Amino acid sequence: WFVAPPTSAASSHRHFDSTTSRASSPPFSSTAQRRRRNAAGGDAADASTTSGNIRGRRRAAAARTSHRMVASSRNWEWGRAKSSGDAPTPAAQAFGSDQELKLGVLLLNLGGPERPEDVQPFLFNLFADPDIIRLPKLVQWLQNPIAAVLAARRAPQSKSAYESIGGGSPIVSWTNAQAKGIASQLEAKGLSGTKCYVGMRYWHPFTEAALEAVEDDEINALVILPLYPQFSISTSGSSLRILNEEFTRRPEQWGHKNVVHTVVPSYHDRPGYVNAMASLIAREVAEYTPEQRMQGVQVLFSAHGVPKSYIDAGDPYKAQIESCVKLISEKVDGINAEGGPGAKPGSSGAAAGGVTYHLSYQSRVGPVEWLQPYTDAKIHELADNGCKNLVVVPVSFVSEHIETLEEIDMEYREVAEEAGITNWRRVPALNTDPAFIEDMADMVVEALALPTLTVSEAFTRNNCDRKEAEGFLEKALDGMYGMPKTGGKPPKSGKVGGAGAAGANASSGGGGGADGEGSGDKRKEAARVLSTLSGAAFAADGVGREIAGLFTATSDGIFF
Ligand SMILES: C=CC1=C(C)c2cc3[nH]c(cc4nc(cc5[nH]c(cc1n2)c(C)c5CCC(=O)O)C(CCC(=O)O)=C4C)c(C)c3C=C
Ligand SMILES: [Fe+2]
């Protein structure tokens, strides 16, 4: 079943929270630990082990029967790895012991503000993430002050974007609906009693709260599933970092003897995902009239961008985006070649389908170079080449949120229409698409029978532990120095560098509680103090001048 998200008063780890207006409680409230300690009269490790064994002895026989039934109905070899010899599988480890298999699925996502007053603290949490703003070790102590300044600068612009879609992000409700759908699909596949948890990185329900729920429910096999189809250090990597820290801090709870876990790091090339995306696109292309399809239809995959330096540092994101765009495009061509709804009238074969595919990257933040081509530039290029029929596909998101509903539907649509693209369409995000949800459930079932991939293995395998790209900070700072001062109108295409009108008023007025909030004067003063402090601390090697420059620049009205 699906575990309802904790209320916004739930405890969280190191985050700012507009409900409490202060840094929230220390990591991982010890409720569960206390409860177990009380129950067993010993420490947490002993208590959980003991209770697990008792439970195991009492119910092992029944559990084996029910799971053997599942195994045979899926022709599944629970105890044996499919791909590599004797490597253990989560099912073998949890179910093969004398314990009942208590399966949990942890869905990881980014999260989003629910109300206008959540926007600034949400942004603070995001910018305070070392996987989003990657600083060299020497200046990592400045992460939070930098986050506070950036959040305060960006909040007004973000808040008005969220206001245009109703004041908050729908990402949590969509993710909850996906969790519910996956749980019921797992039920249908015979894994009844599986619990699906939602853990968000920057807003409620936080990942830390989800882990507490996993612990409270005494889950002993956990499949960790980041909802990002393509792996990026900045998204899945960041969520895995939180898990890795907690798993390392409390091995008595999270060690494989107590909870067997495995990670599905990405699913960009899974046939189920690819087919679900291709069907949505083919359906959208089919909405054009036969005459329009005769003119040709341009399909533009728009992926969330990342700074180029991430790719240089080994982020697999770009390669995975390109690979899945190729697979999805081929599938759409295949559907059309079979006379599918998007086929060019009077023709047959993929080449004659009249559909051409393109890829671009959206949502750029700040002055450094991100993956190119940028979506707004690509739209202009297509329009210049005579495109009239454009289908935009949000390819790196599996649910609707601000980047689809505001950035694509409003900003990019305006760019396209002003450039002469008359017939605009946007493919919906997968949300609770039945084929997608079923594939997610299949992914869980398959993960149980494959050798485990631990959080730390997934982390290392995807280069999350590599140092920041050479010269990243220097480039970022150069860019910031070079940015125009405030006062200009924001560029039509929105979040593309430069100073926005909203950025001129640094005071967001939103609840928050992140440092740096308050009147412009107060913040300027804080920036001056920080600038002096950082200048003093690093004057000797020149880094201080860079950091001091950053604060001076931001307090003068340059937004990130
Ligand atoms: C594949 C998905 C995403 C990648 C990669 C990613 C990288 C990334 N994002 C920022 C900065 C911001 N992201 C924001 C919101 C946001 N981003 C994603 C997805 C990816 N981000 C989602 C799902 C959301 C939440 C949307 C919602 O509905 O709330 C924001 C806040 C919104 C805004 O002000 O634009 C920022 C800022 C960086 C810097 C980055 C890579 C380093
Ligand atoms: Fe983002």
Side-chain angles (χ1 to χ4, degrees):
W1 48 266
F2 159 63
V3 176
T7 64
S8 42
S11 66
S12 61
H13 170 45
R14 289 173 312 181
H15 301 295
F16 271 95
D17 182 337
S18 54
T19 319
T20 56
S21 289
R22 61 183 166 77
S24 44
S25 65
F28 304 97
S29 82
S30 53
T31 329
Q33 254 171 293
R34 264 201 316 276
R35 229 196 33 221
R36 287 182 192 185
R37 213 176 281 133
N38 292 342
D43 65 42
D46 288 347
S48 53
T49 311
T50 310
S51 85
N53 283 341
I54 290 168
R55 205 178 56 244
R57 276 198 296 276
R58 229 183 15 240
R59 287 188 258 164
R64 283 204 185 92
T65 310
S66 82
H67 284 97
R68 220 176 269 134
M69 196 180 75
V70 173
S72 66
S73 72
R74 301 245 350 138
N75 196 22
W76 215 252
E77 293 180 78
W78 288 99
R80 203 154 357 119
K82 290 245 177 230
S83 59
S84 66
D86 294 322
T89 71
Q93 283 191 35
F95 174 59
S97 72
D98 68 344
Q99 291 196 16
E100 171 191 4
L101 175 67
K102 291 195 78 178
L103 178 61
V105 177
L106 175 57
L107 301 176
L108 301 171
N109 209 338
L110 191 135
E114 285 151 283
R115 305 160 305 171
E117 59 266 37
D118 300 338
V119 171
Q120 187 166 335
F122 162 77
L123 289 173
F124 173 83
N125 292 336
L126 189 138
F127 290 129
D129 178 359
D131 290 308
I132 288 283
I133 305 280
R134 307 183 98 190
L135 297 173
K137 265 207 163 63
L138 193 61
V139 289
Q140 273 167 8
W141 60 279
L142 279 169
Q143 186 91 40
N144 284 3
I146 289 176
V149 174
L150 298 179
R153 300 302 310 180
R154 192 172 173 84
Q157 179 194 357
S158 288
K159 216 182 267 188
S160 73
Y162 281 106
E163 260 151 23
S164 73
I165 61 162
S169 173
I171 195 168
V172 175
S173 34
W174 277 119
T175 310
N176 286 340
Q178 289 169 332
K180 212 172 172 176
I182 293 168
S184 63
Q185 274 297 318
L186 287 170
E187 179 97 33
K189 289 173 194 295
L191 284 172
S192 56
T194 303
K195 296 186 179 183
C196 282
Y197 305 84
V198 170
M200 297 295 192
R201 180 65 182 85
Y202 306 119
W203 205 246
H204 299 281
F206 287 113
T207 310
E208 295 84 345
L211 283 182
E212 283 184 10
V214 170
E215 185 174 352
D216 281 353
D217 292 339
E218 300 181 337
I219 294 299
N220 59 16
L222 185 65
V223 176
I224 297 164
L225 191 46
L227 279 172
Y228 310 96
Q230 308 85 10
F231 192 101
S232 169
I233 295 167
S234 63
T235 54
S236 307
S238 171
S239 288
L240 293 183
R241 184 188 294 280
I242 295 290
L243 299 185
N244 202 27
E245 283 170 8
E246 166 65 358
F247 289 5
T248 311
R249 197 175 70 80
R250 293 188 50 226
E252 78 283 358
Q253 161 60 30
W254 299 110
H256 265 201
K257 282 199 179 129
N258 201 41
V259 182
V260 186
H261 77 261
T262 192
V263 179
V264 182
S266 64
Y267 51 92
H268 60 284
D269 52 0
R270 271 188 76 84
Y273 163 74
V274 167
N275 292 346
M277 286 293 290
S279 304
L280 290 181
I281 297 169
R283 215 176 296 159
E284 212 57 45
V285 170
E287 291 295 317
Y288 286 108
T289 62
E291 293 72 34
Q292 287 166 338
R293 272 181 279 140
M294 285 299 285
Q295 289 174 331
V297 173
Q298 311 297 318
V299 170
L300 176 58
F301 291 91
S302 183
H304 196 300
V306 294
K308 187 173 164 291
S309 59
Y310 280 57
I311 308 304
D312 301 339
D315 193 332
Y317 182 71
K318 180 172 181 271
Q320 294 190 1
I321 288 279
E322 288 171 354
S323 139
C324 86
V325 162
K326 185 168 180 288
L327 291 170
I328 297 168
S329 308
E330 285 168 0
K331 186 69 199 174
V332 179
D333 278 345
I335 295 173
N336 288 340
E338 286 160 17
K344 191 173 176 178
S347 69
S348 64
V355 182
T356 317
Y357 305 93
H358 312 267
L359 168 64
S360 60
Y361 295 91
Q362 66 176 86
S363 316
R364 179 185 168 209
V365 181
V368 295
E369 185 185 354
W370 281 44
L371 286 177
Q372 299 220 39
Y374 301 137
T375 296
D376 55 338
K378 190 73 196 176
I379 291 173
H380 278 295
E381 182 193 308
L382 292 172
D384 289 348
N385 291 334
C387 163
K388 295 288 171 218
N389 308 315
L390 178 65
V391 182
V392 175
V393 185
V395 70
S396 46
F397 316 113
V398 293
S399 53
E400 302 294 355
H401 62 280
I402 187 119
E403 321 284 14
T404 56
L405 299 173
E406 196 272 339
E407 192 172 13
I408 297 182
D409 288 354
M410 297 179 193
E411 297 183 27
Y412 292 138
R413 182 177 186 150
E414 196 179 323
V415 170
E417 289 177 349
E418 280 182 5
I421 294 173
T422 41
N423 307 313
W424 161 279
R425 306 201 72 85
R426 201 262 288 175
V427 169
L430 286 163
N431 297 327
T432 48
D433 177 275
F436 169 62
I437 296 297
E438 172 153 26
D439 194 47
M440 297 297 276
D442 284 341
M443 232 182 283
V444 171
V445 174
E446 288 165 30
L448 287 170
L450 287 169
T452 54
L453 179 68
T454 65
V455 161
S456 74
E457 286 163 353
F459 200 66
T460 309
R461 193 173 288 186
N462 289 286
N463 301 324
C464 296
D465 49 359
R466 282 220 207 142
K467 283 213 308 279
E468 70 284 347
E470 192 89 346
F472 171 66
L473 181 68
E474 288 71 16
K475 273 188 234 156
L477 292 172
D478 280 353
M480 285 195 180
Y481 294 148
M483 286 181 68
K485 302 279 179 192
T486 52
K489 209 172 170 282
K492 267 275 177 297
S493 53
K495 298 164 187 168
V496 184
N505 173 15
S507 178
S508 76
D515 335 18
E517 194 193 1
S519 73
D521 283 345
K522 256 194 192 159
R523 203 175 26 264
K524 274 190 180 162
E525 184 50 35
R528 257 194 299 278
V529 172
L530 284 167
S531 145
T532 313
L533 280 178
S534 59
F538 292 105
D541 60 7
V543 176
R545 280 191 297 280
E546 301 270 70
I547 299 296
L550 168 63
F551 282 107
T552 311
T554 7
S555 71
D556 276 347
I558 291 170
F559 83 97
F560 187 82

